[in-house]
Structure formats: C-alpha cells, structure tokens
C-alpha cells in the first residue's frame, strides 16, 4: 500500500502500474509527474494555498482536479504531509475496464476510431476517460495497488515552462500509452 504522507517524488513511481477507478472506468497508470510544492515553481501550490488549489494541501490519497487551458480537466493525487501542497499528476494510462464509456467521454467526433493506446494518453485524455469533474476535487481516489513493480524511468517533465528540466516525470518505458513529447523520440 502506498504511504501518501511521503513526498511526491517518492510517491510518483509507486503509482506506476496501479489501477485508478472512477465513474465506471479503470485505468492502469503508466505515466505520472511529481509536483513538490513550495520548492517547485511549476507546482500550483508554489505560491501558497488558494481556493483553487486548497485540495492539494489536504490529506493524501485524494484528488486535486483542475481545468487546464480552459478545456481539459486534469487530475493529481495529493501526497506528502497534510499542508505541504504536493501531488502527482496522472499523465497517462491504459484503460483496463470501461472502454466503451471512456470512448463515449472523449470529446471528439471520431472517438470510436481513436486508437486504444490513445484513450487515456495525456492528462486531458485521461481526465476525460475517467470522467473527472471539478466537483471531484478533494474526494478520495479509488486506487488498487499494483501486483508487481514495473520497470520505470524518470526524466524531465513536459508541457510546462517552469522547472521542466527537473527529473520528476516517471513512466513505464516502451508502453504505448505514455506521452511522446514533441521533439523527443518515442519512449
């Protein structure tokens, strides 16, 4: 079982291979990013607690859901001691159960032709597949621990402008559900 009182950079690799179930869809996490609070300029909590990020300062093992770019609902799993403001962004995963529901939630006219590996690839797609809503902010995450630790690697985070070079992105190498950053070879 994961101890969510640990810092985000320790919790993140432990999440790889775990199953997240939400609103009828189960996803096996294959890619996450750690956000380490006040010391991390890329973290939503870097400048302190606000109404928007308050869930990140709460107890571990809960969701922090936020709107990204005004269109995508992304989800973090809160960790570290309560009050620290740390979390792990769920960046990608493999839909294990509820594929038809995940497809229905994808907001594209060609959703039935989306390759299976892309259903929950990327934080916005994962949020859609799980049916995340802003109302889920602060609610407990339904997490099934992995049976065995997968091979994993760490490297720079992607899609951010601050502290991007920090090796706080964790993923299962060669898994087709892992994001391929622009300008990088397929992982």
């Amino acid at each position: 079982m994961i101890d969510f009182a640990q810092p985000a950079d320790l919790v993140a690799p432990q999440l790889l291979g775990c199953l997240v179930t939400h609103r009828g869809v189960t996803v096996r996490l294959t890619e996450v990013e750690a956000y380490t609070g006040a010391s991390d300029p890329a973290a939503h909590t870097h400048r302190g607690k606000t109404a928007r990020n308050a869930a990140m300062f709460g107890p571990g093992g809960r969701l922090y859901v936020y709107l990204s770019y005004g269109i995508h609902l992304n989800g973090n799993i809160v960790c570290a001691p309560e009050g620290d403001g740390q979390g792990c962004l769920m960046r990608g995963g493999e839909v294990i159960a509820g594929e038809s529901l995940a497809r229905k939630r994808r907001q594209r006219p060609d959703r039935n032709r989306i390759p299976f590996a892309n259903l929950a690839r990327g934080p916005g797609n994962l949020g859609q597949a799980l049916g995340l809503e802003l109302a889920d902010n602060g609610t407990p995450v339904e997490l099934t621990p992995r049976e065995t630790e997968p091979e994993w690697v760490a490297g720079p985070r992607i899609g951010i402008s601050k502290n991007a070079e920090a090796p706080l992105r964790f993923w299962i190498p060669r898994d087709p559900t892992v994001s391929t950053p622009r300008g990088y070879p397929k992982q």
Side-chain angles (χ1 to χ4, degrees):
M1 194 52 115
I2 296 173
D3 176 5
F4 288 105
Q6 298 174 90
D9 58 334
L10 297 181
V11 170
Q14 295 176 61
L15 291 170
L16 295 172
C18 291
L19 305 180
V20 174
T21 301
H22 193 76
R23 290 200 171 89
V25 172
T26 300
V27 171
R28 179 181 63 89
L29 293 176
T30 59
E31 180 183 14
V32 295
E33 285 181 348
Y35 288 87
T36 58
S39 65
D40 184 355
H44 288 183
T45 56
H46 175 65
R47 290 197 167 94
K49 188 175 181 180
T50 65
R52 177 184 181 214
N53 69 19
M56 287 278 279
F57 291 90
R62 295 183 177 262
L63 290 170
Y64 164 55
V65 180
Y66 66 95
L67 192 61
S68 176
Y69 300 110
I71 52 173
H72 300 293
L73 286 168
N74 294 349
N76 283 259
I77 299 175
V78 177
C79 55
E82 196 166 342
D84 273 13
Q86 296 189 38
C88 299
L89 173 66
M90 298 182 289
R91 278 203 58 83
E94 174 188 10
V95 176
I96 299 296
E99 178 183 349
S100 61
L101 188 52
R103 283 189 185 282
K104 184 178 177 183
R105 290 175 177 157
R106 289 295 305 275
Q107 299 170 354
R108 290 174 38 175
D110 66 342
R111 65 177 142 258
N112 291 324
R113 293 191 311 261
I114 296 170
F116 179 77
N118 293 351
L119 277 178
R121 185 180 188 205
N125 294 335
L126 190 146
Q128 282 181 11
L130 289 175
L132 292 180
E133 299 175 358
L134 289 176
D136 295 322
N137 205 25
T139 62
V141 66
E142 186 179 334
L143 189 76
T144 304
R146 62 192 183 199
E147 292 181 13
T148 59
E149 181 177 0
E151 175 188 357
W152 59 270
V153 294
R157 294 180 291 192
I158 56 177
I160 59 173
S161 58
K162 298 175 183 170
N163 203 22
E165 70 287 345
L168 295 173
R169 178 173 162 251
F170 303 85
W171 68 94
I172 298 173
R174 298 170 301 283
D175 190 293
T177 64
V178 172
S179 304
T180 303
R182 288 180 180 87
Y184 289 87
K186 207 157 176 56
Q187 302 172 37

